[in-house]
Amino acid sequence: MYVKRKTINTKVSISGIGLHSGIYTKVELHPAHAGSGITFVRADLGLRIPALQASTTALDHATTVGRDDVSVGTVEHLLSALMACGITDLDIHINGPEVPIIDGSAVPFMHLIDAAGVRELASDIRVLRITEPIEVVDGNKSIRITPSNRLVIKYKIDFPHPTIGKQALQFDLQHDNFLKKIAPARTFGFKHEVEKLRAAGLARGGSVENCIVLDDGGVMNGPLRFRDEFVRHKILDLVGDLALIGRPVVGEITAYKAGHALHSKFVEQILRAAEAEEGAPAMAARGIESFA
Ligand SMILES: [Zn+2]
């Protein structure tokens, strides 16, 4: 199964503070030629980092891609929006170490891509199709994929917090569905964790403007956009992590209490299985090419 490769029509940009670094950066999306893939370009350093699983360097609380000592953090919300729009080829210029968090959701990125316009390229990309179930388990957390002709995500979470508790949602990845049901769901965090995160050099740009903050009593900066905004955001994150496969993927995914670290192991397993199935590196080829 193949689909058309896609890029954007024109250059667009967005600026803001990074959730973890607290550093203000500007992101510019540039159209790219067919086959070049999605690449982060550290505009301040002239370094290209392919948006691929092989580039991931850190997975604590957000997904980071890097090369040598240079990285771009919190890539998942932007990549999630690009995946939902079917973008396969794009240069993402950024003049600092972290993608802006904006409002904590993927809506600003969806609007940015919409403003640029999406255009089909002359060549096709092969969809990664799962032929055998793949599962990754870590204690009581798990994520699995079984064969399907569409990308369907069933996500379940269970937090010991009265506002969250058990939440479950099934989602079919299509542009309009994503824009309406998943993109608006914001990042969330717990007040008691903020001090710990800050001590570890994280959450420095976090505020009630870009993150749902929960304390023992409930949401400190309501109202929520959805009663089950939390599980919706987990789906948003997973779509972003799946984008690091570097190709569209179809299958039925069931995730339970997962997060970036488990998503990442899962993507590795999918790539390994695809490599065995297709008899060629499922991701490496264009990654190396885009270093040139
Ligand atoms: Zn997130």
Side-chain angles (χ1 to χ4, degrees):
M1 187 160 86
Y2 289 81
V3 294
K4 279 274 173 253
R5 303 190 72 106
K6 287 179 183 169
T7 190
I8 56 171
N9 278 323
T10 185
K11 186 179 85 177
V12 282
S13 68
I14 192 165
S15 303
I17 197 167
L19 175 64
H20 292 299
S21 63
I23 294 172
Y24 196 89
T25 61
K26 180 178 180 187
V27 164
E28 271 182 7
L29 308 184
H30 292 241
H33 66 262
S36 60
I38 296 173
T39 310
F40 286 93
V41 182
R42 274 293 297 264
D44 50 334
L45 302 168
L47 192 84
R48 297 174 66 82
I49 306 167
L52 291 173
Q53 178 64 22
S55 303
T56 57
T57 54
L59 302 156
D60 303 332
H61 307 283
T63 301
T64 299
V65 293
R67 187 179 153 212
D68 305 331
D69 288 333
V70 178
S71 61
V72 178
T74 316
V75 296
E76 63 270 21
H77 304 159
L78 172 57
L79 291 181
S80 190
L82 293 172
M83 176 112 165
C85 294
I87 304 287
T88 56
D89 300 281
L90 189 74
D91 276 357
I92 305 168
H93 290 228
I94 180 164
N95 64 352
E98 189 178 8
V99 175
I101 189 70
I102 316 292
D103 72 345
S105 83
V107 166
F109 300 123
M110 291 298 282
H111 288 165
L112 188 68
I113 297 161
D114 191 40
V118 175
R119 120 178 113 89
E120 283 191 353
L121 293 162
S123 62
D124 295 337
I125 187 165
R126 186 173 176 188
V127 175
L128 199 160
R129 183 194 281 266
I130 304 305
T131 53
E132 297 284 335
I134 296 167
E135 184 171 40
V136 179
V137 179
D138 176 17
N140 67 352
K141 304 170 183 178
S142 65
I143 181 164
R144 72 193 305 260
I145 186 165
T146 55
S148 170
N149 291 328
R150 298 171 303 155
L151 178 58
V152 179
I153 298 173
K154 298 174 178 175
Y155 216 116
K156 259 189 211 173
I157 56 173
D158 186 358
F159 279 82
H161 188 284
T163 309
I164 309 180
K166 291 185 170 69
Q167 300 192 344
L169 190 71
Q170 175 169 335
F171 172 71
D172 210 318
L173 184 66
Q174 280 151 7
H175 175 279
D176 293 356
N177 211 16
F178 182 88
L179 183 60
K180 203 165 63 187
K181 297 180 180 167
I182 301 299
R186 293 162 296 166
T187 307
F188 59 96
F190 299 92
K191 187 171 176 272
H192 69 266
E193 281 184 351
V194 169
E195 288 310 313
K196 248 192 305 182
L197 286 170
R198 293 218 164 128
L202 297 166
R204 288 181 177 171
S207 75
V208 291
E209 303 297 315
N210 57 30
C211 182
I212 302 168
V213 185
L214 298 126
D215 66 7
D216 292 344
V219 175
M220 297 175 70
N221 54 339
L224 292 174
R225 292 178 178 176
F226 307 95
R227 188 193 52 77
D228 59 353
E229 189 164 355
F230 307 96
V231 72
R232 290 173 194 250
H233 188 78
K234 296 298 281 190
I235 293 174
L236 193 165
D237 281 342
L238 174 58
V239 171
D241 289 336
L242 290 172
L244 294 169
I245 289 173
R247 292 158 56 181
V249 59
V250 290
E252 188 175 303
I253 297 176
T254 309
Y256 181 64
K257 296 178 77 159
H260 291 301
L262 206 64
H263 295 168
S264 187
K265 281 187 193 154
F266 178 63
V267 165
E268 262 165 39
Q269 291 295 326
I270 290 174
L271 286 166
R272 211 166 294 160
E275 203 170 311
E277 171 84 16
E278 296 172 4
M283 62 169 176
R286 79 129 179 104
I288 290 161
E289 182 185 309
S290 65
F291 281 131

